[in-house]
Amino acid sequence: MSDNPYPAVPTAPAVRAAALYKAFGRKPLDTVARLRAGAERGSLPAEQTAAVIDATFEVKRGEIFVVMGLSGSGKSTLIRMLNGLLAPTSGTVEVAGTTITGLAPKQLRAVRRQSVSMVFQHFALLPHRTVIDNVAYGLEVQGVPLEERRARANTIIGIVGLAGWEDKLPAQLSGGMQQRVGLARALAADTDILLMDEAFSALDPLIRREMQEQLVELQAELGKTIIFITHDLNEAMFLGDRIAVMRDGRIVQIGTPEEILTDPANDYVAQFVQDVDRARVLTASSVMEPARAIVSLSAGPRAALRTMRDLQTSAAYVLGNGRTLLGVVRDRDVIRQVKNRETDLSLVVRHDLSAVDADTNLSDLVEASVESDLPLAVVDSRTRLLGVIPRVTLLAALGNVSSHTGEVPVMIDPPATIPVDVVTETLLATGGPTEPADAALEGSLR
Amino acid sequence: MIPALLPSTPPTSPVIPLGPWVEAFIEFLTETLGWFFGGLRAAFGGLYDVVDLALAAPPFWAVIAVVTLLGLYLRGWLFAAGSALGLVLIVLLGQWGNAMDTLALVLVASAIAIIVSVPLGILAARSGTASAVIKPILDFMQTMPAFVYLIPALILFRVGVVPGIVATIIFAMAPGVRMTELGIRGVDKEVVEAAHAFGSSPARILRQIQLPLAMPTILAGINQVIMLSLSMVVIAGMVGAGGLGGQVVASLNRIDVALGFEAGLSVVILAIILDRLTAALGRPRTKLFRRTPAPDAAADAPARAAEPVAA
């Protein structure tokens, strides 16, 4: 759009809301003054309603920012202030560096045409227009010629999987398909920011799941900034890069799904998140524990055996340079090496261990954990060992039981198969210093 | 003590001279705005003459053929055949010329009423204040006995067809305003909000979304405007508008049962045809929705037309 009077400022956040208030009813400014003075929403006079109280946040470009709250928490009012459908009673909204609060209607419409489109809970399609004309509506308002907007709408219709339905009327489509049209209409407008107001709440659970997955894919592909309103915590956790939790008009916490889940700001949030499907939200990196049964390849069999003896375990992870995970050694193999006075640990390293990526969801760890007798090794993209997840830890995380209960003895996983005194005897019998090896091991790993 | 101060019987002549004030106001209008009402008279009269000529000049069978074809297109062969039979009956009763005069009056008055009422309805739908002002005026216009309009209309426009048209417009326009407002306010709020969210201007939303979606309701209002216009033809006949109304008034003066019935029956036939034709306009005729027969019975159309519309 060459005639865009509000060129996007590349460095600005996609959306910035500063101290937003929205009051309905009589004397809204008076309501805001009362709230600023510390009044609670419940203590306001009956004819004054505060929908949004002191909302401040920034949405980064290309992120999915979810606003979550129960009905009446003010989230729908909040999202409508972000594109000027509602004017804030106090505070300012910036879209791509442009302050839209107080803009003249005409300029506000220009911002909506060029920067922000919206998807609605009940689809809000134009019932008298075909699918393709609905999808092309945003372009039509922008003044794109018929042929071009039809072509662009066709592309988007293909992307959302509605090819072949172009000439149907919305009433001929199922709910899920209608919302695909709603999504396609917003995408076709080709704005950087998408507002989605309870967009999937009216859909059946299966369709909703499908749409959520499609949205994540589309977002990864198109890099839109998405502000998503929902009352469904699982949806928020699944979609959100960051989540703002609203209660009674206030934002009570903003954070990543894991932060909200593992470190709730207050009892309300904690209570809210207790029923969430943790397996789909938490990732390996958020529940893993430091790996202790680790030996450096260069430290040799004696150090490996001693480590396993001290931890009373039958296996240890073997690390190479820069903590790269090479594999695992078993106590039986190592004790044989020690007895035979061999020094090359790499001869007995097994590579058949289960290593998982740090971003894997817990739900995808269960199977691996069942099949492996070792704790799961968590690695980063360069196969460096970040930590381990013993089965007990995984169960504790799924059941929302704190696994960090202090002095409770940490489970030994897997337990030693050779008695400790046998190992000690073997070490003594084969001679050599016993203690300095620890220092060597530590040193080589740092 | 207090009863002693009050008169024992209520006054039989007005204590407040409200009537004379209105009379003075009409006089004032005649004196200062005579040119305006003269112009209006010429315009309405001219319009009526043109429409009347278009209906009365062609041979009656040509007009019947056009109406029948229109009925065939809008409703189907049964209605087309019925219309043709009814119109032939009017011809056989010798009321064809009068019926065309009446039809011209109804068409002109309805057209003007629609042109005025639909924009007023749009205004009322967009602004709560406008709605609050317009509603009581409509109530007043609709409930004030229609004869009362005739008096100032006669003074301002003199005897003839024009005072009949003006009184008809005032009486008939209320459902047009009401149904337009109702239709536009009834458009899904979320759809309108969506249009706003994509940056549409209010004029574009009105043109592309609100009016098309409100159209069935607006057309129902237009149907009511036409029916109310028809119910006014007899009253218009009293001020010299002629047509079937004039015949009814003449038969009343002469206690002529035969003429009264013939003219009255012709009004009923016209009413049924007009009602069913305009009602069919409001139904979408796409492949998606099959046309269904109108639920109301044909015989009660004139009676229904005379009732105030529940908006």
Side-chain angles (χ1 to χ4, degrees), chain A residues 152-297:
Chain A
R152 281 164 69 179
N154 251 323
T155 315
I156 302 285
I157 285 173
I159 290 177
V160 300
L162 280 175
W165 295 83
E166 294 86 350
D167 296 324
K168 304 284 186 207
L169 287 171
Q172 294 169 284
L173 271 54
S174 68
M177 291 169 96
Q178 290 191 35
Q179 194 57 302
R180 279 173 210 275
V181 178
L183 184 59
R185 175 173 66 179
L187 290 175
D190 204 20
T191 56
D192 291 334
I193 301 165
L194 235 67
L195 304 180
M196 303 185 72
D197 180 18
E198 299 260 10
F200 303 151
S201 299
L203 305 178
D204 295 338
L206 284 177
I207 310 279
R208 195 187 310 173
R209 164 70 63 220
E210 200 181 312
M211 294 288 284
Q212 287 166 358
E213 281 162 6
Q214 193 175 22
L215 183 69
V216 170
E217 278 168 33
L218 282 171
Q219 202 266 351
E221 204 173 307
L222 304 171
K224 304 274 185 198
T225 305
I226 297 173
I227 300 173
F228 196 101
I229 300 280
T230 184
H231 64 262
D232 177 351
L233 185 63
N234 282 317
E235 184 167 74
M237 293 279 168
F238 179 73
L239 291 175
D241 292 321
R242 285 190 305 145
I243 299 172
V245 183
M246 282 190 85
R247 185 200 187 185
D248 290 347
R250 291 180 193 273
I251 294 179
V252 290
Q253 186 173 8
I254 298 181
T256 63
E258 292 182 14
E259 282 167 7
I260 302 257
L261 204 50
T262 55
D263 185 21
N266 57 27
D267 287 349
Y268 177 77
V269 179
Q271 210 174 13
F272 213 102
V273 298
Q274 74 181 9
D275 293 331
V276 77
D277 184 357
R278 307 170 71 87
R280 287 173 51 91
V281 178
L282 293 178
T283 57
S285 61
S286 63
V287 299
M288 67 187 182
E289 292 178 350
R292 295 183 309 157
I294 47 175
V295 288
S296 161
L297 184 66

Side-chain angles (χ1 to χ4, degrees), chain B residues 209-284:
Chain B
I209 295 171
Q210 288 173 316
L211 283 182
L213 292 181
M215 202 42 88
T217 314
I218 296 177
L219 287 174
I222 288 175
N223 169 264
Q224 288 303 305
V225 169
I226 293 173
M227 298 322 290
L228 285 185
S229 302
L230 202 56
S231 75
M232 278 289 284
V233 294
V234 175
I235 293 167
M238 296 186 70
V239 290
L244 295 174
Q247 297 291 298
V248 172
V249 172
S251 67
L252 188 63
N253 289 338
R254 285 183 275 160
I255 322 285
D256 186 340
V257 175
L259 178 64
F261 185 76
E262 285 162 5
L265 187 64
S266 302
V267 172
V268 170
I269 292 168
L270 276 188
I272 293 171
I273 295 174
L274 280 176
D275 177 57
R276 294 323 190 75
L277 279 183
T278 51
L281 284 176
R283 252 167 284 148

Side-chain angles (χ1 to χ4, degrees), chain A residues 103-401:
Chain A
L103 275 189
K106 197 177 170 196
Q107 294 163 318
L108 195 55
R109 290 201 291 272
V111 170
R112 289 187 199 137
R113 281 197 295 270
Q114 282 138 22
S115 303
V116 197
S117 51
M118 193 160 173
V119 182
F120 292 82
Q121 180 174 8
H122 302 292
F123 324 137
L125 303 176
L126 312 184
H128 55 308
R129 292 192 168 202
T130 57
V131 166
I132 191 162
D133 285 338
N134 264 289
V135 173
Y137 184 73
L139 296 170
E140 184 183 338
V141 176
Q142 289 169 18
V144 176
L146 181 68
E147 289 304 314
E148 190 190 334
R149 68 180 187 244
R150 287 247 164 134
R152 281 164 69 179
N154 251 323
T155 315
I156 302 285
I157 285 173
I159 290 177
V160 300
L162 280 175
W165 295 83
E166 294 86 350
D167 296 324
K168 304 284 186 207
L169 287 171
Q172 294 169 284
L173 271 54
S174 68
M177 291 169 96
Q178 290 191 35
Q179 194 57 302
R180 279 173 210 275
V181 178
L183 184 59
R185 175 173 66 179
L187 290 175
D190 204 20
T191 56
D192 291 334
I193 301 165
L194 235 67
L195 304 180
M196 303 185 72
D197 180 18
E198 299 260 10
F200 303 151
S201 299
L203 305 178
D204 295 338
L206 284 177
I207 310 279
R208 195 187 310 173
R209 164 70 63 220
E210 200 181 312
M211 294 288 284
Q212 287 166 358
E213 281 162 6
Q214 193 175 22
L215 183 69
V216 170
E217 278 168 33
L218 282 171
Q219 202 266 351
E221 204 173 307
L222 304 171
K224 304 274 185 198
T225 305
I226 297 173
I227 300 173
F228 196 101
I229 300 280
T230 184
H231 64 262
D232 177 351
L233 185 63
N234 282 317
E235 184 167 74
M237 293 279 168
F238 179 73
L239 291 175
D241 292 321
R242 285 190 305 145
I243 299 172
V245 183
M246 282 190 85
R247 185 200 187 185
D248 290 347
R250 291 180 193 273
I251 294 179
V252 290
Q253 186 173 8
I254 298 181
T256 63
E258 292 182 14
E259 282 167 7
I260 302 257
L261 204 50
T262 55
D263 185 21
N266 57 27
D267 287 349
Y268 177 77
V269 179
Q271 210 174 13
F272 213 102
V273 298
Q274 74 181 9
D275 293 331
V276 77
D277 184 357
R278 307 170 71 87
R280 287 173 51 91
V281 178
L282 293 178
T283 57
S285 61
S286 63
V287 299
M288 67 187 182
E289 292 178 350
R292 295 183 309 157
I294 47 175
V295 288
S296 161
L297 184 66
S298 55
R302 287 182 61 85
L305 188 60
R306 198 169 48 249
T307 304
M308 284 187 273
R309 179 201 64 187
D310 292 350
L311 296 169
Q312 297 188 22
T313 177
S314 65
Y317 298 101
V318 180
L319 304 184
N321 286 334
R323 278 186 83 92
T324 342
L325 181 64
L326 298 177
V328 68
V329 288
R330 301 283 178 165
D331 52 0
R332 287 179 189 283
D333 300 333
V334 177
I335 202 165
R336 198 180 323 115
Q337 272 201 317
V338 171
K339 281 177 180 163
N340 297 341
R341 297 180 187 270
E342 290 173 20
T343 51
D344 189 0
L345 195 60
S346 64
L347 294 174
V348 293
V349 172
R350 302 173 182 212
H351 303 285
D352 58 343
L353 81 171
S354 294
V356 296
D357 195 78
D359 293 332
T360 317
N361 284 334
L362 294 196
S363 54
D364 298 327
L365 295 182
V366 176
E367 198 184 337
S369 183
V370 168
E371 286 172 354
S372 164
D373 64 335
L374 287 171
L376 295 173
V378 181
V379 295
D380 66 8
S381 56
R382 285 150 65 188
T383 68
R384 287 180 303 195
L385 183 67
L386 300 174
V388 294
I389 306 177
R391 230 172 272 166
V392 171
T393 308
L394 182 60
L395 286 174
L398 290 174
N400 195 15
V401 180

